[in-house]
Amino acid sequence: QVQLVESGGGLVQAGGSLRPSCAASGRIFSINDMGWYRQAPGKQRELVAAIARGGTTNYADSVTGRFTISRDNAKNTVYLQMNSLKPEDTAVYYCNADVYYTYTARSKYWGQGTQVTVSS
């Protein structure tokens, strides 16, 4: 079993910054892609940013230039540095990881979500 635990969300004024993190633990052989998704009320969950094990990154157009995803493979942890936050960034942010729990067996896991609220 694998657990993803997020922390670092919160309430911030527009223009401010937050840096949520997500730590994976449990039966982990290795982790491929890790990513952050978000879901605002009444909207579908959407990809915010993703990072491959080797460091290649991918961002949604709406956050490019403002958000930076990074990871520490030794700690099985992914981070999302969010700068210049806007009210439209308000959502529950979920961490996702593509985990090998044996040499060949893999599955995707989700964190419980962390609320990010940006006030205008």
Side-chain angles (χ1 to χ4, degrees):
Q1 188 72 0
V2 174
Q3 298 82 38
L4 301 182
V5 178
E6 297 136 342
S7 60
L11 173 64
V12 66
Q13 289 188 332
S17 299
L18 286 172
R19 189 181 186 241
S21 62
C22 171
S25 63
R27 188 181 178 188
I28 297 171
F29 181 77
S30 68
I31 303 178
N32 281 347
D33 293 352
M34 302 185 81
W36 289 93
Y37 290 72
R38 67 186 180 187
Q39 187 166 20
K43 294 188 177 181
Q44 289 189 332
R45 191 173 296 190
E46 62 176 0
L47 174 67
V48 175
I51 183 168
R53 183 171 181 81
T56 301
T57 57
N58 179 40
Y59 295 94
D61 289 344
S62 60
V63 307
T64 298
R66 299 188 298 122
F67 291 9
T68 302
I69 189 171
S70 61
R71 63 189 286 173
D72 184 333
N73 290 331
K75 296 181 179 179
N76 291 328
T77 299
V78 63
Y79 307 92
L80 186 67
Q81 178 66 48
M82 304 190 294
N83 298 330
S84 301
L85 282 160
K86 304 175 181 180
E88 52 263 43
D89 294 318
T90 295
V92 178
Y93 283 69
Y94 296 92
C95 157
N96 177 270
D98 182 14
V99 178
Y100 276 91
Y101 50 92
T102 70
Y103 184 74
T104 56
R106 61 193 286 191
S107 185
K108 292 190 176 182
Y109 295 89
W110 290 92
Q112 80 284 0
T114 185
Q115 178 69 47
V116 171
T117 302
V118 185
S119 63
S120 57

